[in-house]
Amino acid sequence: MANLISYNLLNSTDIDFFLEILPPECVKTDKNSLEAAAKDYTEDLSFLPAIVLLPRETQEVAAIMKHCFHRNLPVTPRGAGTGLSGGALPVYGGVVLAMAKMNQVLHLDENNLQVSVQPGIITQQLQELVETKGLFYPPDPSSRGSSFIGGNLAESSGGPRAVKYGVSKDYVLNLEVVLPNGTIMETGAKVLKNATGYNLTQLMVGSEGTLGIITRIDLKLIPLPKMNWLMLVPFVSPEKACEAVSAVFRAGLCPSALEFMEREGIVFTLKYRSDLSFPLPDEAKAMLLIEVDGNSEEELMNQCEGITHVLDSFAPSDIWMATSASEKEALWKVRRAIGEAVKSHSIYKEEDTVVPRFQLPALLQKVKELGKTYGFESVCYGHAGDGNLHVNIIRGNLSQEAWENELPKAIRELFAYVKSLGGTLSGEHGIGWVQKNYMDIALSPTALTLMRGIKKLFDPTGILNPGKIFPDEEV
Amino acid sequence: MANLISYNLLNSTDIDFFLEILPPECVKTDKNSLEAAAKDYTEDLSFLPAIVLLPRETQEVAAIMKHCFHRNLPVTPRGAGTGLSGGALPVYGGVVLAMAKMNQVLHLDENNLQVSVQPGIITQQLQELVETKGLFYPPDPSSRGSSFIGGNLAESSGGPRAVKYGVSKDYVLNLEVVLPNGTIMETGAKVLKNATGYNLTQLMVGSEGTLGIITRIDLKLIPLPKMNWLMLVPFVSPEKACEAVSAVFRAGLCPSALEFMEREGIVFTLKYRSDLSFPLPDEAKAMLLIEVDGNSEEELMNQCEGITHVLDSFAPSDIWMATSASEKEALWKVRRAIGEAVKSHSIYKEEDTVVPRFQLPALLQKVKELGKTYGFESVCYGHAGDGNLHVNIIRGNLSQEAWENELPKAIRELFAYVKSLGGTLSGEHGIGWVQKNYMDIALSPTALTLMRGIKKLFDPTGILNPGKIFPDEEV
C-alpha cells in the first residue's frame, strides 16, 4: 500500500498551542482517549491518533485547522464513531477532531419548519426534540441512538425510512463548514430551492470529512405523521421476498419502510441476543418488515390492504400486523440488532451494496454463489425498498490467507456484478477506508480524477481525513 | 465588463469538420438559425453565434467537444431556450450546441420505476409518456410544454409541485455527460441511494451547462397520484396571503402546489390575454392557488378541510374549489400565463428570489418599497409554498439611464435584503448571464473561489458556456 503523503508528527509545541485555545478537558493525550478514538464500528480495525481534540464552537475548529494546516498535521474528524466504512479511523495518526462537545440545537424555527444544529447532536435526540413540536426529521440509520447528525451527513446515511422520505442528504439546506486551511464558509442558504451556483452543499454531504469540517447544519423538517403500523411477512424463499418488494412499489404503494432479512440473519441474532424474540416459522426463509405511516387509521388500513393484496400473489406463509408501540418496537429491535449481533460474535466484513430494487433477487443469489465458491458464510439484510442490501461476510473458518487474499477477489466479483446490474458500492455507509480500493469498479478513471481534483481544490495539502475514499495509487 | 478569455473564431475548416461528423441538416449557419439561437426567454437579450450544431447522439457531442476543445472555440449548450437567466445565450458567439435532436426515451424501466432519456425531450411529453404507465415525474416548470428535461436539470428547475415533490434535482439518479475535452463520463448509478464518492450528479445538476454537456439522464419516477383538486383563495392583502401559506404547513398539511399571485399580476395577465377568465373579487389584493392530490376523494376532502380550517383565521373573502379538469385548467392557465404576459407586453427584469417561506410577507413589502424609491412597478407571483417569489420589474416609464444604472442598485438592495432573511438569489431559474454580478451578495469570496476552482477543473480552458454564473472580474 503506497503512502504518497508525508505529514509532520505532533510535538509539544502543538499541544501547547491546543491548550491555549481549548481548556484541558478538551485536549486528550491519555491512553484511554487515544484508544477510544483509534476505532469506529468497522471490522476490527484500529489506528492510534497522537491527540484527540474536542472543540466546542466553530471558531475553535477554525483555529485548530489553521494550526494543523500550517504544521502539516493530519486531521481526522470524528462523530460518534458508529461508521461502518472506517471513515473516522485516523489511519495516519495525528489529530482526531472529535465533535462530541458541539452538540447544541442552535435554533428550532417552527415558522419555517427548519432546525439549525451543531454536528455533534445525537440523531435520535434531535428527532425526539423536533417531535415534541409535531415535526419530523425522518432519516433513521440503525445507529441513530448514538450516531451524530454530522457523521450521518458526512456519510450520506440513510435508514429504513429512506424508502419514503429520502436519506439525510435530502434534508440539508445549508452547511457551515471549516475548510482545511481554517476558513469558515457557508455552502448554501436556508431555502427549500436553490439554483445559485454549484451545489456545494451536496458536494460536502457524503464527502466523508475529506473536504471540510461540518460545524453547523440547517435542516428542513416536515410535519410528523400521526401514526404508523408494521407488518411482518415471512416468505418461502429470499427471492420471492425480493420480488414482492418490487411489486409493492409497482402497484403504486409507498410504505414508510420496507426491510428485508434473510432467515440466517434472524437466527444469528436470536442466538446471540437471548433477550429478543421474534416469530420465525419453519418455512420462512426470509422476512419482510413493512411499515406504513399516515394521519388516520383509515389511511393506514387502505395502505395495508393494498400491500396485502400485492403480497398474496407471492404466497407469504402468513402476515402479522403490529399496531401497538411495544409490538412494533419488539420487531424493530431484532431488525436493528442484526448488524450488531454479527459484529459482536464474529470477525466479518460488511458490504453496503445497492442496485435498482428489481435486481435484488439476482444480487442475493450472486452473494450466495460467491459464498459457495470462496467458502464464506454470509448474513444478508437491509433496505430492500431502496435496493440496498447489507452483505455481512462472516470470517467463520476461513484461513487468514483466504480472508486476506482470497476474499478481496470475491468482493471484487460481487461489486463488478453489482455494477453490471446498474448498482454501486455503497448506498449509505460510504467508502471510507475499507472500500476505497474497489472504487475503480464503480467509477471511471475520469470520474475518479475529477473527484481527486475536487479533493485537491478543497484540501491542497491533503491533511483532512487522509487515506479515505480514493484508491491507493501505484508508486 | 472585462473579458479575460479570448477564443478563436470559427473558420471554414471547422465547418468542414462538423460536416464530416454530422449531416448537413444538423449544421446550421443560415441567418434564421443563428438568430433563433441568439436568444432565450431572458429579457430582450440577443447574442449571435457563429454556428448551430444539432448532434443526435453522445458520440457526436463528444466529437464536437473534442474539436472545439482543441480549437479553443466557445460552446454554449442549448435546450429549448426557455431559460430566464440567460443560461443559453452564446455571449461569446462561437458554437451553439442545440440538443433538440437528442430527444429519445432510451428505456422506460417499469420494474424499477426509472426512465432513461436523452436531454432534448420536452418535459411535458416525458410526463405524459410515463403517466400512461401510472408513473409520475412531478417537476413541472411553467415552461414544461416546451422546455427540455436537460435544460430543466441544467438550471435546477422547479415548478408548482416542488412544494410537495421536490425539484428536478431530486429525481436524477445518474447522468451521462460529455466533458469540455470530449470525454464521456457517468456521474453516478441507477440507484436510489448512493454514498460512493463525491456527488458529481448533484454538482452537474444546476451547473447551467458550464461543467459538461448532459447527454443521458436516468430519472427516478414515483407512482402517479390518482386525483387532485384545486382551491382558489382571495385575500384582502398580499401579506395575509403569505402568512396563510406558512400557517398551512405549520398545521401539518402538505398541498401539492401552493401558488401566490398578487392582484396586479392577474389584472396584467387578463388585460393582455382576453381568451382567459378568472374570478377576481374587488376586495382581493392577492390570491392563493392551492392544489391537493392523493388517491381517494376522502383523502382530498380531508386535506381541503384541514386547509380551509387554517385559512379561516386569515379571513379569505371566499374559497373556490375546482374539481373538474376544465375548471382546474382554466385557473392554472392564468397562473402560467403571468410571466408570459409580462414578457410579451413590457421590457422587464425577473428576479427569482427565494427565502424561508415565513419571510415572504417581509420580502414582498420590500419589493414594493424599493419600487416606490426607485420608481418601478412590479408584478409578483410564484411558488409561495417554497418561499420562491418571482419579482417581475416592469420597465414602464423608467428612463434608459434609470433602467441601466439605477435599477441594478435597487436589485442589489433587494438581494441584500433577501440574503439577510436567510434567502438567496435564485430558487429555480439559475444565475446564468443576468444575475452573475450579484453573486457576491449570496456567496462568500471563499465559496466563489471554490466554485471557480471546480469550473477550472472540469473546463480548464473555459470553452463551455463562458460568461455565465461567475461575476465579471476586475481587470
Side-chain angles (χ1 to χ4, degrees):
Chain A
M1 209 174 300
N3 172 0
L4 295 177
I5 316 171
S6 69
Y7 302 100
N8 285 328
L9 293 177
L10 191 85
N11 62 31
S12 62
T13 320
D14 297 317
I15 300 177
D16 290 345
F17 173 82
F18 295 136
L19 283 168
E20 267 172 41
I21 57 165
L22 296 172
E25 69 272 19
C26 297
V27 180
K28 305 276 197 185
T29 51
D30 63 291
K31 187 164 172 282
N32 284 352
S33 299
L34 299 185
E35 284 181 353
K39 301 173 183 219
D40 63 7
Y41 277 28
T42 312
E43 303 176 19
D44 53 347
L45 300 167
S46 179
F47 299 84
L48 216 60
I51 195 167
V52 178
L53 300 177
L54 290 142
R56 297 158 303 172
E57 47 163 46
T58 304
Q59 293 298 339
E60 290 177 352
V61 176
I64 293 166
M65 290 312 302
K66 199 172 171 186
H67 179 82
C68 295
F69 183 75
H70 289 295
R71 280 277 297 127
N72 195 32
L73 297 173
V75 178
T76 303
R78 180 181 180 87
T82 59
L84 295 167
S85 59
L89 297 174
V91 295
Y92 288 108
V95 176
V96 162
L97 195 64
M99 306 308 280
K101 288 189 191 287
M102 290 183 68
N103 61 357
Q104 300 301 303
V105 174
L106 302 171
H107 181 44
L108 176 53
D109 181 352
E110 291 186 62
N111 287 323
N112 287 304
L113 279 56
Q114 296 183 12
V115 66
S116 295
V117 295
Q118 288 187 310
I121 189 170
I122 291 176
T123 306
Q124 188 172 343
Q125 285 179 1
L126 168 64
Q127 289 173 319
E128 287 169 1
L129 174 83
V130 305
E131 282 173 19
T132 63
K133 309 288 182 184
L135 298 174
F136 192 30
Y137 173 72
D140 57 343
S142 289
S143 61
R144 73 190 184 109
S146 54
S147 65
F148 296 168
I149 187 79
N152 290 178
L153 293 187
E155 299 297 331
S156 197
S157 301
R161 288 185 195 130
V163 69
K164 179 169 179 178
Y165 292 105
V167 298
S168 47
K169 82 177 172 67
D170 299 311
Y171 291 83
V172 190
L173 303 177
N174 184 31
L175 296 170
E176 178 192 75
V177 296
V178 174
L179 297 176
N181 67 4
T183 307
I184 303 166
M185 178 185 81
E186 293 199 37
T187 59
K190 292 184 175 186
V191 292
L192 297 171
K193 295 154 78 178
N194 193 338
T196 311
Y198 303 149
N199 197 337
L200 297 183
T201 306
Q202 292 302 327
L203 189 58
M204 202 57 67
V205 173
S207 68
E208 311 196 43
T210 65
L211 299 181
I213 312 285
I214 296 171
T215 50
R216 196 193 75 232
I217 302 158
D218 299 330
L219 291 170
K220 154 178 108 165
L221 303 171
I222 60 175
L224 182 68
K226 291 197 177 71
M227 57 186 83
N228 62 62
W229 292 347
L230 195 58
M231 300 162 80
L232 178 70
V233 194
F235 288 84
V236 294
S237 80
E239 288 74 20
K240 276 275 176 237
C242 290
E243 284 167 23
V245 168
S246 190
V248 165
F249 291 94
R250 191 62 199 87
L253 298 154
C254 189
S256 52
L258 212 171
E259 298 287 301
F260 168 86
M261 297 170 281
E262 60 169 4
R263 182 182 185 89
E264 290 84 339
I266 300 165
V267 170
F268 197 95
T269 306
L270 296 178
K271 187 170 156 193
Y272 291 108
R273 285 288 300 269
S274 55
D275 58 316
L276 301 179
S277 69
F278 200 82
L280 187 63
D282 288 347
E283 69 279 14
K285 294 294 178 283
M287 293 279 208
L288 292 182
L289 201 54
I290 308 177
E291 188 192 78
V292 296
D293 71 0
N295 291 319
S296 70
E297 290 206 353
E298 209 161 17
E299 203 182 319
L300 267 54
M301 189 62 82
N302 285 341
Q303 291 183 64
C304 286
E305 278 174 14
I307 291 169
T308 308
H309 182 73
V310 172
L311 295 180
D312 277 347
S313 56
F314 294 89
S317 64
D318 206 344
I319 296 183
W320 286 281
M321 177 81 77
T323 56
S324 78
S326 61
E327 287 171 320
K328 289 185 287 185
E329 185 53 24
L331 296 181
W332 274 121
K333 262 189 183 158
V334 172
R335 165 61 189 86
R336 282 199 294 262
I338 301 178
E340 207 186 303
V342 171
K343 183 177 168 59
S344 316
H345 295 91
S346 169
I347 294 178
Y348 79 111
K349 283 186 188 294
E350 175 160 3
E351 310 308 330
D352 180 35
T353 51
V354 59
V355 293
R357 73 166 78 91
F358 189 69
Q359 314 296 351
L360 269 183
L363 171 58
L364 189 66
Q365 210 173 357
K366 184 73 173 183
V367 172
K368 299 302 171 184
E369 272 174 37
L370 287 169
K372 278 182 197 152
T373 309
Y374 287 88
F376 63 79
E377 300 290 318
S378 62
V379 171
C380 296
Y381 62 96
H383 315 301
D386 294 315
N388 185 198
L389 191 72
H390 299 322
V391 180
N392 281 255
I393 300 172
I394 313 284
R395 164 84 185 256
N397 298 323
L398 278 190
S399 69
Q400 187 69 13
E401 152 68 16
W403 185 248
E404 277 178 16
N405 298 321
E406 292 304 306
L407 191 63
K409 293 180 196 163
I411 296 172
R412 283 199 83 83
E413 271 190 59
L414 175 63
F415 282 147
Y417 186 68
V418 162
K419 170 81 177 170
S420 77
L421 297 175
T424 193
L425 309 185
S426 175
E428 57 176 23
H429 294 171
I431 297 304
W433 170 253
V434 295
Q435 310 295 10
K436 64 178 180 169
N437 284 321
Y438 304 107
M439 282 288 267
D440 62 297
I441 300 169
L443 298 168
S444 65
T446 302
L448 269 171
T449 301
L450 287 172
M451 288 186 191
R452 282 188 202 275
I454 290 168
K455 167 69 176 171
K456 189 101 185 162
L457 180 67
F458 281 74
D459 184 19
T461 58
I463 60 164
L464 194 56
N465 210 359
K468 306 298 167 64
I469 297 183
F470 299 103
D472 297 317
E473 289 182 285
E474 304 285 324
V475 276
Chain B
M1 207 174 302
N3 173 358
L4 295 177
I5 315 170
S6 68
Y7 301 100
N8 285 326
L9 293 176
L10 191 85
N11 62 31
S12 62
T13 319
D14 297 316
I15 300 178
D16 289 345
F17 173 81
F18 296 135
L19 283 169
E20 266 173 43
I21 58 166
L22 296 172
E25 69 273 18
C26 297
V27 179
K28 305 275 196 185
T29 51
D30 62 291
K31 187 163 172 284
N32 284 350
S33 299
L34 299 185
E35 283 180 354
K39 301 172 183 218
D40 63 8
Y41 277 28
T42 312
E43 303 176 19
D44 53 348
L45 300 166
S46 179
F47 299 84
L48 216 59
I51 194 167
V52 178
L53 301 176
L54 290 141
R56 298 158 304 172
E57 48 164 46
T58 304
Q59 292 298 338
E60 290 176 353
V61 175
I64 292 167
M65 289 312 303
K66 199 172 171 185
H67 179 82
C68 293
F69 184 76
H70 288 295
R71 280 277 296 128
N72 195 32
L73 298 172
V75 178
T76 302
R78 180 181 179 86
T82 60
L84 294 166
S85 58
L89 297 173
V91 295
Y92 288 106
V95 176
V96 162
L97 195 63
M99 306 308 279
K101 287 187 191 289
M102 290 183 66
N103 61 358
Q104 300 301 302
V105 173
L106 301 171
H107 181 43
L108 176 52
D109 180 353
E110 291 186 62
N111 287 323
N112 286 304
L113 278 56
Q114 296 182 13
V115 66
S116 296
V117 296
Q118 288 187 310
I121 189 170
I122 291 175
T123 306
Q124 186 170 346
Q125 286 179 0
L126 169 63
Q127 290 174 319
E128 287 169 359
L129 173 82
V130 305
E131 282 172 20
T132 63
K133 308 290 182 182
L135 297 173
F136 192 30
Y137 173 72
D140 57 344
S142 290
S143 61
R144 72 190 184 109
S146 55
S147 65
F148 296 168
I149 187 79
N152 290 179
L153 293 188
E155 300 297 330
S156 196
S157 301
R161 287 185 196 132
V163 69
K164 177 168 180 178
Y165 293 104
V167 299
S168 47
K169 82 177 172 65
D170 300 310
Y171 291 83
V172 189
L173 304 177
N174 185 30
L175 295 170
E176 178 191 74
V177 297
V178 174
L179 297 176
N181 67 4
T183 307
I184 302 166
M185 179 185 81
E186 293 199 37
T187 59
K190 293 185 174 184
V191 291
L192 297 171
K193 295 155 76 178
N194 193 337
T196 310
Y198 304 150
N199 197 336
L200 297 183
T201 306
Q202 291 304 327
L203 188 58
M204 202 56 67
V205 173
S207 67
E208 312 196 43
T210 65
L211 298 180
I213 311 284
I214 296 171
T215 50
R216 197 195 73 231
I217 302 158
D218 299 330
L219 291 169
K220 154 177 107 165
L221 303 170
I222 60 175
L224 182 68
K226 291 196 176 73
M227 56 185 84
N228 63 62
W229 291 347
L230 195 57
M231 301 163 79
L232 178 69
V233 193
F235 288 83
V236 294
S237 81
E239 287 75 19
K240 277 272 176 241
C242 290
E243 284 167 22
V245 168
S246 191
V248 165
F249 291 95
R250 191 60 199 90
L253 298 154
C254 189
S256 53
L258 211 172
E259 298 287 301
F260 168 86
M261 296 169 284
E262 58 169 4
R263 182 182 185 89
E264 291 85 338
I266 300 165
V267 170
F268 197 96
T269 305
L270 296 177
K271 186 168 157 195
Y272 291 108
R273 285 288 302 269
S274 55
D275 57 317
L276 300 180
S277 68
F278 201 81
L280 188 61
D282 288 346
E283 69 280 13
K285 294 292 177 279
M287 293 281 206
L288 292 182
L289 202 53
I290 307 177
E291 188 192 79
V292 295
D293 70 0
N295 291 320
S296 70
E297 291 206 352
E298 209 162 18
E299 202 182 323
L300 268 56
M301 189 62 82
N302 285 342
Q303 292 183 66
C304 287
E305 279 174 13
I307 291 169
T308 307
H309 182 72
V310 172
L311 295 180
D312 276 348
S313 55
F314 296 89
S317 64
D318 207 345
I319 296 182
W320 286 280
M321 177 80 78
T323 56
S324 79
S326 61
E327 288 170 319
K328 290 185 286 185
E329 186 53 22
L331 297 181
W332 274 121
K333 262 189 183 159
V334 172
R335 164 61 188 87
R336 281 198 294 264
I338 301 179
E340 205 186 304
V342 171
K343 184 176 167 61
S344 315
H345 295 89
S346 169
I347 293 179
Y348 78 111
K349 282 186 190 292
E350 175 159 3
E351 311 307 329
D352 180 35
T353 52
V354 58
V355 293
R357 72 166 81 89
F358 189 70
Q359 315 296 351
L360 268 183
L363 171 58
L364 190 65
Q365 209 173 356
K366 184 73 174 184
V367 171
K368 299 303 170 184
E369 272 173 36
L370 287 169
K372 279 181 195 151
T373 309
Y374 287 88
F376 63 79
E377 299 288 319
S378 62
V379 171
C380 295
Y381 62 96
H383 314 300
D386 293 316
N388 186 197
L389 191 73
H390 299 322
V391 180
N392 281 256
I393 300 172
I394 312 285
R395 165 82 185 257
N397 299 324
L398 278 189
S399 71
Q400 187 70 14
E401 152 69 16
W403 185 249
E404 278 178 15
N405 297 323
E406 292 305 306
L407 190 64
K409 293 179 197 164
I411 296 173
R412 283 198 84 83
E413 271 191 58
L414 175 63
F415 282 147
Y417 186 70
V418 162
K419 170 79 177 171
S420 77
L421 297 175
T424 193
L425 309 185
S426 175
E428 57 176 22
H429 294 169
I431 297 304
W433 171 253
V434 295
Q435 310 295 11
K436 65 177 179 168
N437 284 321
Y438 303 107
M439 282 288 266
D440 63 298
I441 300 170
L443 297 168
S444 66
T446 302
L448 270 171
T449 300
L450 287 173
M451 288 185 190
R452 281 188 203 274
I454 291 168
K455 167 69 176 172
K456 189 102 184 161
L457 181 68
F458 281 72
D459 185 18
T461 57
I463 59 165
L464 194 56
N465 210 358
K468 306 297 167 64
I469 297 183
F470 298 103
D472 296 318
E473 290 182 283
E474 305 284 324
V475 278

